[in-house]
Amino acid sequence: MIPHLRGRHVGQHHASGLIQQDDPQTWLQINEQPFAFHHSLADNPLLSVERLAQLSERAFDRDHYKRYFKGADLKLPVSTLKARFRDSIEQIADNGQWVALHYIDEMDPAYGELFDLLLADVEDIIHRPVRSQMTWGSMSVFLSAPELSVPYHFDHETNFLMQVQGEKDVWLYPRAFGTLTAPEIEDFYRHNPVAGIYRDELESASSSWRLAPGIGVHHPPLAPHRIQNSNNVSVSLSLYYAMPDMEERGHVYQANYCMRKLGLSPRAPGESALSDGMKIKFMRALSTSNPRTHDELLYSGVSRLAAPFKWAKHLRH
């Protein structure tokens, strides 16, 4: 059974209307097609640049703050890193940087409550108890200086990207168009976040979305996307979660990655329930039994397969 890594605030609130349903038929496409929706976060004081700069210091309460710095920088005193990180947010209009704040719902109870309210809205719209079923979920904030772009990539989770300040363009490349190859997805699930390879012929498959304050766009899992900021400071909130079937599909791709390295031709996910089940059990057996983070939940098993001679015998059996 897949562990669940839900936070302490999850499941305490009812729908608040922060995310609007708009067209009910549109939401039937969740996890399959991208779509735009409205939200009421544009004037939320928790998402102002000033408040986020203040929140950035809470990132240092746990070890994951190291992800925001290069290895050489980590030799500096934590007080210096705190000041540098906060400055990068406060000066976002002029420093030409792109800054992300991850797991904000775990940093401060106020953001944990916002996380739960937004999930309650999603549940109310799609009529599915996401909070009790998801294996993991969180929120990130992205701050971008004018004119910056985010290159082509894709993510594991169900994602709702909501624009809070400024405007930007998002291009999405739905899975239905075959934009990703099996080796790309397998490479992603061995923990390579930039496994997606952009090809010029994919451009005709894309759909574009102009995000302004109060507008959001749903990113289905494994749907590649790229982003171009306008001539303004952009602040956007990403709400995302993973369900058990997503984790299982990831484990199948991980097993397929390893099998392909052995010169085998593995069956794609969904081709054989028996084959998928064996691969999922194999990856779970290798995974950390009590994961503390989603990375440990999803990637610890494949990480242990890094030494080829250690796993070749198991996979052949």
Side-chain angles (χ1 to χ4, degrees), residues 199-272:
R199 305 181 300 278
D200 290 339
E201 61 267 25
L202 297 180
E203 196 56 36
S204 61
S206 69
S207 56
S208 61
W209 311 84
R210 181 75 168 184
L211 297 191
I215 303 295
V217 64
H218 164 56
H219 295 194
L222 304 184
H225 49 278
R226 61 184 180 89
I227 299 171
Q228 176 64 54
N229 193 20
S230 298
N231 187 26
N232 50 234
V233 169
S234 170
V235 179
S236 54
L237 176 73
S238 178
L239 170 75
Y240 45 93
Y241 59 84
M243 303 297 273
D245 60 315
M246 300 178 193
E247 314 287 23
E248 291 176 347
R249 180 176 61 190
H251 286 328
V252 174
Y253 276 118
Q254 288 169 340
N256 286 358
Y257 171 83
C258 299
M259 294 174 70
R260 207 177 297 277
K261 287 295 181 180
L262 291 173
L264 304 174
S265 298
R267 292 182 176 180
E271 284 189 4
S272 167

Side-chain angles (χ1 to χ4, degrees), residues 158-210:
T158 297
N159 187 7
F160 301 92
L161 182 67
M162 292 168 275
Q163 193 68 9
V164 176
Q165 177 180 330
E167 296 185 0
K168 63 185 179 184
D169 294 301
V170 179
W171 288 267
L172 280 136
Y173 303 79
R175 298 192 318 271
F177 290 97
T179 51
L180 293 175
T181 65
E184 285 176 80
I185 303 176
E186 292 166 9
D187 189 28
F188 172 83
Y189 278 115
R190 62 117 181 151
H191 213 175
N192 177 15
V194 291
I197 301 172
Y198 182 77
R199 305 181 300 278
D200 290 339
E201 61 267 25
L202 297 180
E203 196 56 36
S204 61
S206 69
S207 56
S208 61
W209 311 84
R210 181 75 168 184

Side-chain angles (χ1 to χ4, degrees), residues 11-304:
Q12 298 178 359
H13 295 89
H14 299 291
S16 62
L18 290 172
I19 295 177
Q20 282 92 59
Q21 184 179 31
D22 297 330
D23 180 6
Q25 293 300 312
T26 298
W27 282 83
L28 296 177
Q29 303 176 86
I30 190 169
N31 289 343
E32 296 298 331
Q33 296 291 338
F35 56 83
F37 59 91
H38 290 88
H39 63 85
S40 304
L41 297 175
D43 298 319
N44 193 305
L46 291 175
L47 302 174
S48 68
V49 173
E50 295 75 18
R51 181 68 173 85
L52 293 169
Q54 178 185 351
L55 178 68
S56 69
E57 297 191 1
R58 299 293 297 272
F60 293 80
D61 293 344
R62 290 172 305 165
D63 200 50
H64 86 259
Y65 78 86
K66 295 177 181 178
R67 70 184 297 167
Y68 301 116
F69 301 97
K70 297 179 180 178
D73 293 335
L74 293 174
K75 298 178 182 179
L76 297 171
V78 171
S79 59
T80 300
L81 296 178
K82 278 187 177 182
R84 182 179 294 184
F85 195 35
R86 180 164 182 157
D87 286 348
S88 69
I89 294 175
E90 291 178 333
Q91 299 170 15
I92 194 68
D94 305 306
N95 60 17
Q97 294 184 11
W98 179 88
V99 180
L101 267 175
H102 299 294
Y103 316 128
I104 63 172
D105 51 294
E106 300 176 16
M107 294 184 192
D108 184 311
Y111 293 89
E113 182 176 3
L114 178 61
F115 174 55
D116 194 49
L117 287 169
L118 292 171
L119 284 177
D121 284 347
V122 172
E123 288 184 339
D124 188 60
I125 293 170
I126 68 174
H127 306 294
R128 182 176 181 182
V130 174
R131 289 174 291 181
S132 64
Q133 294 180 352
M134 70 183 190
T135 57
W136 178 79
S138 192
M139 292 193 308
S140 296
V141 168
F142 303 106
L143 303 99
S144 178
E147 306 290 353
L148 287 187
S149 61
V150 178
Y152 179 85
H153 69 287
F154 60 96
D155 302 302
H156 167 68
E157 305 89 358
T158 297
N159 187 7
F160 301 92
L161 182 67
M162 292 168 275
Q163 193 68 9
V164 176
Q165 177 180 330
E167 296 185 0
K168 63 185 179 184
D169 294 301
V170 179
W171 288 267
L172 280 136
Y173 303 79
R175 298 192 318 271
F177 290 97
T179 51
L180 293 175
T181 65
E184 285 176 80
I185 303 176
E186 292 166 9
D187 189 28
F188 172 83
Y189 278 115
R190 62 117 181 151
H191 213 175
N192 177 15
V194 291
I197 301 172
Y198 182 77
R199 305 181 300 278
D200 290 339
E201 61 267 25
L202 297 180
E203 196 56 36
S204 61
S206 69
S207 56
S208 61
W209 311 84
R210 181 75 168 184
L211 297 191
I215 303 295
V217 64
H218 164 56
H219 295 194
L222 304 184
H225 49 278
R226 61 184 180 89
I227 299 171
Q228 176 64 54
N229 193 20
S230 298
N231 187 26
N232 50 234
V233 169
S234 170
V235 179
S236 54
L237 176 73
S238 178
L239 170 75
Y240 45 93
Y241 59 84
M243 303 297 273
D245 60 315
M246 300 178 193
E247 314 287 23
E248 291 176 347
R249 180 176 61 190
H251 286 328
V252 174
Y253 276 118
Q254 288 169 340
N256 286 358
Y257 171 83
C258 299
M259 294 174 70
R260 207 177 297 277
K261 287 295 181 180
L262 291 173
L264 304 174
S265 298
R267 292 182 176 180
E271 284 189 4
S272 167
L274 178 60
S275 175
D276 285 354
M278 293 175 66
K279 293 170 184 175
I280 292 166
K281 288 181 180 179
F282 175 69
M283 296 308 304
R284 282 184 188 169
L286 289 172
S287 299
T288 301
S289 56
N290 295 300
R292 297 167 298 172
T293 67
H294 186 247
D295 275 5
E296 287 187 0
L297 175 66
L298 184 59
Y299 297 114
S300 59
V302 74
S303 295
R304 291 178 175 176

